[in-house]
Amino acid sequence: MPPPPLHYQMSLPPPSHGFMTPPPPLSQNFMTPSRGYYGFMFVYPTWVFSNPNPTILNPSFKPLLNRQTLKPPRPYPKPKHTPISSVLQWNRKPGLAGETPRIVVITSGKGGVGKTTTTANVGLSLARLGFFVVAIDADVGLRNLDLLLGLENRVNYTVVEVINGDCRLDQALVRDKRWSNFELLCISTPRSKLPIGFGGKALVWLVDALKAREDKSPDFILIDCPAGIDAGFITAITPANEAVLVTTPDITSLRDADRVMGLLECDGIRDIKMIVNRVRTDMIKGEDMMSVLDVQEMLGLPLLGVIPEDSEVINSTNRGYPLVLNKPPTLAGLAFEQAAGRLIEQDSMKAVMVEEVPKKRGFFSFGG
């Protein structure tokens, strides 16, 4: 029975007789020994083809592979890092749902939860998406929306002068220089009182006058509601057909939000959504703060957005520069933009449960 045939690589020519031709000394470092059928068989490594002058046993043998095809591939070009030109995170423009203009009141009942901050950031996010927005600061005597927008030095007339006939409505509207499709309208000047006849009907007349503008009819009218549930609150919610309830995950804010929700439903406002502000995931994991899911179960409202705690809120307030205009964007600014997109499409988000941090066990804690 003949012996099994030898297996050679392509660069090794077959021997002219039954035995292998003695290889060159190993000092040339181009062969590696391996165990074969006839003792040691020397096999050429793959890098021998890249040698410009390979040493082969049979000079008449030519390798079948082309040396040019074995060149190392060219390295991929490094990606060019371009600066961020926009902080908009939407790949498409959200489709406007419902009839225009949509009148949305932003309220909470409790002070200091972020109503004015939400109005400024959501309003500018809507304007940056191409919608015409009018923001009304309905807080009488304690207005702050102009400060957050950096327009405090440009407010010359208010709604009180419009009602008294001292100026026109377009003179009281303050247009933002950064986005011309965003306008601010203040009810009164600081430290002033409204006339006795001013109430919900006067604000309804004002909203109807904004609707009647032929050239610039707004798509959204945002009303920044004052804190509390007194006459200022009743006046602010009268012309609205939608409401955004801003709350924080603490029991005092949730009690006031529940009370305000009942008053909104009694006034005929059924489209109520909720924004949970100043959320800290580290405290939620440590069971030191209620989760967003707990807040939603307590109030039973669709969730419009979750705003994380962000130290840049104070800086943006002091500079009169809203968070949604920062470059690079902050987490809170991105959350406000996403909430504005859901508001446009009358959509809501779903809260998820945050896993709790497992408690550390001591050395002598056996059995859990």
Side-chain angles (χ1 to χ4, degrees), residues 105-108 115-116 119 136 138-139 223-228 232-233 236-237:
V105 59
I106 300 177
T107 181
S108 68
K115 296 183 298 294
T116 305
T119 305
I136 301 177
D139 198 345
I223 302 175
D224 184 16
C225 183
F233 169 79
I237 68 174

Side-chain angles (χ1 to χ4, degrees), residues 8-14 20 31 41-44 57 61:
Y8 301 93
Q9 288 191 359
M10 297 180 63
S11 62
L12 185 63
M20 173 178 279
M31 291 188 184
M41 178 178 66
F42 290 84
V43 181
Y44 279 84
L57 300 180
F61 175 77

Side-chain angles (χ1 to χ4, degrees), residues 94-104 131 218-220 241-242 271 273 342-347:
L96 181 60
E99 298 180 358
T100 57
R102 291 171 53 183
I103 307 168
V104 184
F131 299 99
D219 299 314
F220 286 90
N241 48 30
E242 300 178 39
D271 190 359
K273 293 182 176 61
R342 298 186 190 99
L343 180 64
I344 294 170
E345 296 184 340
Q346 293 183 345
D347 196 4

Side-chain angles (χ1 to χ4, degrees), residues 127 132-136 145 149 151 169-170 173-176 179-185 210 213 216 218 222:
F132 194 87
V133 183
V134 175
I136 301 177
L145 186 57
L149 295 171
L151 303 175
L169 178 60
D170 57 349
L173 289 168
V174 180
R175 182 178 301 173
D176 197 326
W179 298 94
S180 60
N181 53 345
F182 181 86
E183 292 180 343
L184 172 66
L185 180 61
L210 292 173
R213 299 174 67 188
K216 295 180 180 179
L222 303 182

Side-chain angles (χ1 to χ4, degrees), residues 87-90 106 113-126 128-129 148 244 246 275-278 304-310 312-313 316-317 322-325 330-344:
V87 297
L88 287 176
Q89 299 299 313
W90 293 87
I106 300 177
V113 297
K115 296 183 298 294
T116 305
T117 303
T118 302
T119 305
N121 287 276
V122 170
L124 276 178
S125 297
L126 295 174
R128 295 174 69 242
L129 289 170
L148 268 68
V244 175
V246 183
I275 288 181
V276 183
N277 194 17
R278 304 184 66 179
L304 186 64
V306 177
I307 314 300
E309 180 75 24
D310 197 341
E312 286 296 325
V313 175
S316 66
T317 302
L323 288 171
V324 295
L325 302 180
T330 61
L331 292 178
L334 295 178
F336 277 122
E337 286 184 352
Q338 295 172 0
R342 298 186 190 99
L343 180 64
I344 294 170

